[in-house]
Amino acid sequence: HYAIPQIVEIIDGDPVSYLVFPYIPGHDLDEVFSNLGQLSPLELYSIVNPLCSALDFVHQQGILHRDVKPENVRIYAEKDGPLSREQVIDGALQTYLFDFNLSVVADSFPVDTSSEPGGTPLYLSPEFWRDGIVDQRHDLYALAVLAFKGLTAQYPYPTPLAASNEITEMILLKEKHLHKSIPRAREVCESLPV
């Protein structure tokens, strides 16, 4: 698939195996978010559209990525230096989905992933938080959180700064994902077009 780099090598380790991808010059999406801040819907579309296609492709192959987040998305750039908004909008940039090391291959969905590492907490679906039984929607939820962050420059459920430790933060984050509705992007960022 055009938005998934070819695997260079599979390293069979005990207890964990690794996939090795080629180096692609450019920026991870987290860097792009940091440098450009809030993206316009058109800018975000040019990045998210290939990711939707890539996820559709891997899901048809029976694969759940399980760690969709900006740090696992690479934007190819020939030149060093930050990307400009013009480069993002013109659609000439290639977007790649990386890091399938937490992925699960299954004959059918849903799959029970409760005994495996789950990915990045800010992007985990309510189904994962509830019982670890997930399907393709788990990746789509993470993609929606990624898009929300791109449009608003914020997470739908920011980690609480007042929490005294990481365990408390995780409990509060889990409760938000399970029991709160995701806010509308325009509630967080009123400057978004209707």
Side-chain angles (χ1 to χ4, degrees):
H1 187 276
Y2 69 91
I4 302 171
Q6 292 221 333
I7 296 170
V8 173
E9 184 179 1
I10 299 173
I11 300 173
D12 240 346
D14 186 25
V16 179
S17 296
Y18 298 92
L19 302 175
V20 179
F21 289 99
Y23 172 73
I24 294 181
H27 309 276
D28 71 40
L29 189 53
D30 195 48
E31 292 175 62
V32 175
F33 286 168
S34 294
N35 290 333
L36 297 181
Q38 174 189 339
L39 300 180
S40 72
L42 183 59
E43 291 167 333
L44 186 67
Y45 173 81
S46 70
I47 292 169
V48 171
N49 188 45
L51 297 177
C52 292
S53 180
L55 286 174
D56 182 50
F57 175 79
V58 297
H59 292 162
Q60 288 180 31
Q61 309 310 309
I63 299 169
L64 286 179
H65 186 281
R66 296 192 335 123
D67 201 19
V68 175
K69 61 182 179 179
E71 294 88 341
N72 289 338
V73 174
R74 190 97 178 139
I75 310 297
Y76 171 78
E78 288 183 19
K79 299 177 184 174
D80 288 336
L83 295 176
S84 68
R85 292 190 178 279
E86 292 75 26
Q87 288 174 296
V88 174
I89 284 181
D90 76 11
L93 297 175
Q94 178 67 45
T95 302
Y96 293 98
L97 181 61
F98 267 92
D99 195 351
F100 284 77
N101 287 320
L102 292 180
S103 64
V104 173
V105 179
D107 293 328
S108 64
F109 297 109
V111 293
D112 185 351
T113 62
S114 59
S115 64
E116 302 172 24
T120 304
L122 287 165
Y123 295 88
L124 294 175
S125 67
E127 294 78 12
F128 180 87
W129 287 108
R130 187 173 14 268
D131 56 17
I133 298 174
V134 297
D135 59 20
Q136 300 93 326
R137 293 172 291 181
H138 178 72
D139 286 344
L140 298 180
Y141 182 88
L143 185 63
V145 172
L146 178 151
F148 188 96
K149 185 169 193 254
L151 283 175
T152 66
Q154 299 180 45
Y155 291 104
Y157 307 119
T159 54
L161 298 175
S164 59
N165 62 47
E166 192 174 318
I167 293 172
T168 304
E169 285 183 13
M170 292 291 284
I171 291 169
L172 292 171
L173 190 58
K174 175 182 178 178
E175 289 303 309
K176 288 179 181 179
H177 278 270
L178 285 173
H179 303 295
K180 283 188 78 177
S181 296
I182 291 180
R184 293 181 180 269
R186 287 205 77 233
E187 291 171 6
V188 175
C189 184
E190 294 179 6
S191 64
L192 285 172
V194 178

